[in-house]
Amino acid sequence: RKEVEQDPGPFNVPEGATVAFNCTYSNSASQSFFWYRQDCRKEPKLLMSVYSSGNEDGRFTAQLNRASQYISLLIRDSKLSDSATYLCVVKQGGSYIPTFGRGTSLIVHP
Amino acid sequence: DTEVTQTPKHLVMGMTNKKSLKCEQHMGHRAMYWYKQKAKKPPELMFVYSYEKLSINESVPSRFSPECPNSSLLNLHLHALQPEDSALYLCASSSQEINSPLHFGNGTRLTVT
C-alpha cells in the first residue's frame, strides 16, 4: 500500500461546478498536510496547508480527518484556470521529508 | 515570482557532457532538496541537504553529484547522463519546522541526447 494515495482522475467538470478530491495516508504519525497545484510543465505551487480544524481560502476548502486518515480539497465555482494537477503532500512527525501523492488531474471545461 | 531561483530553465546536453544545475534561495531555509519529475508522475526525491550537510541520498546514481556551497546555494553536477535522465529537475527549500511547506523553484527542463 502506498503511503499517500490519490485518485489520478481526470476529473472533468463544467465551469461553476463544485468538485472534491480526497487523499488518504497510511502513516498515523503524519502531522503536516498540504495541497499543491501543478500546471503542465511547471513547478508545484503551494495551494494551501491543511489544519486540524479545516481551513478555507476563497473558493478552496481543505479538511483533515485524522480518524480515517484522509485530507480533502473542495473547490467551489470552478474556473477554467483551476485546470491543473493537485498534489497531496504529507509530512510525518519529526521529519522534514515530505511524501507526495501521485496527483489528481482536474479539467474544467466551458 | 518564485523565491527559489533555478538556472538554467532549459538544458540540452550530450551523454559525454558535464553540466551543472544551480539553485538559490534567500528565505533563510536550512533544508534544501533536489527532485526529479517525469511526465505525469509526482516529484521523486533525489537528495536532501540539512544545514549544508547531505542528509539523504535516495540511491541516486553517481552521475548526479550534489553540492551545497553555503546555506543559500545548491548545485547539481551532471556527468555522463543517459537519455532516460531527461526530466524536470526541481529544487526546493523549507525551514526545519514540521508545519513548513516546500517552496519550489521553476525547475530546469533537462534533455539528454
Side-chain angles (χ1 to χ4, degrees):
Chain A
R1 182 182 174 188
K2 290 185 181 161
E3 289 186 52
V4 178
E5 294 204 54
Q6 293 183 254
D7 180 345
F11 285 66
N12 210 315
V13 303
E15 269 186 293
T18 294
V19 62
F21 312 134
N22 281 346
C23 166
T24 59
Y25 59 94
S26 60
N27 192 326
S28 59
S30 299
Q31 287 198 10
S32 302
F33 309 89
F34 310 92
W35 283 104
Y36 281 76
R37 171 203 168 115
Q38 186 170 25
D39 293 289
C40 187
R41 301 176 69 82
K42 300 280 191 179
E43 80 277 18
K45 292 188 177 179
L46 179 67
L47 182 63
M48 55 200 305
S49 301
V50 186
Y51 303 122
S52 296
S53 54
N55 47 299
E56 187 174 308
D57 182 1
R59 297 181 293 109
F60 299 85
T61 300
Q63 297 277 359
L64 167 63
N65 185 317
R66 285 194 187 275
S68 300
Q69 295 187 195
Y70 73 87
I71 65 171
S72 63
L73 178 68
L74 180 78
I75 305 175
R76 288 181 297 278
D77 188 23
S78 299
K79 312 290 185 193
L80 295 177
S81 57
D82 293 334
S83 299
T85 295
Y86 291 83
L87 292 160
C88 168
V89 179
V90 174
K91 278 190 187 179
Q92 296 176 26
S95 171
Y96 52 89
I97 308 302
T99 302
F100 283 77
R102 61 186 295 188
T104 296
S105 174
L106 172 66
I107 301 170
V108 181
H109 59 81
Chain B
D1 287 341
T2 183
E3 297 169 331
V4 179
T5 305
Q6 284 187 247
T7 55
K9 286 189 170 20
H10 301 275
L11 178 62
V12 180
M13 61 185 290
M15 289 189 283
T16 58
N17 291 159
K18 283 187 183 181
K19 297 285 184 184
S20 296
L21 309 185
K22 297 186 182 299
C23 175
E24 187 169 2
Q25 58 90 14
H26 294 288
M27 294 179 281
H29 291 165
R30 304 311 296 268
M32 294 187 78
Y33 310 72
W34 278 116
Y35 283 87
K36 172 183 176 180
Q37 188 175 25
K38 302 281 263 185
K40 300 189 186 302
K41 300 281 189 183
E44 178 185 335
L45 184 64
M46 300 174 73
F47 303 104
V48 182
Y49 274 82
S50 175
Y51 291 90
E52 294 125 69
K53 293 193 187 312
L54 183 65
S55 62
I56 292 179
N57 176 341
E58 290 287 304
S59 302
V60 179
S62 59
R63 58 186 184 268
F64 295 91
S65 174
E67 178 196 20
C68 189
N70 60 53
S71 60
S72 299
L73 294 174
L74 186 66
N75 298 324
L76 185 63
H77 302 298
L78 314 173
H79 174 52
L81 295 194
Q82 303 297 311
E84 60 265 29
D85 295 322
S86 299
L88 179 66
Y89 287 84
L90 293 160
C91 173
S93 71
S94 75
S95 78
Q96 301 284 50
E97 296 169 14
I98 182 62
N99 293 322
S100 174
L102 291 183
H103 297 259
F104 284 92
N106 288 335
T108 294
R109 186 155 298 281
L110 174 68
T111 302
V112 182
T113 60

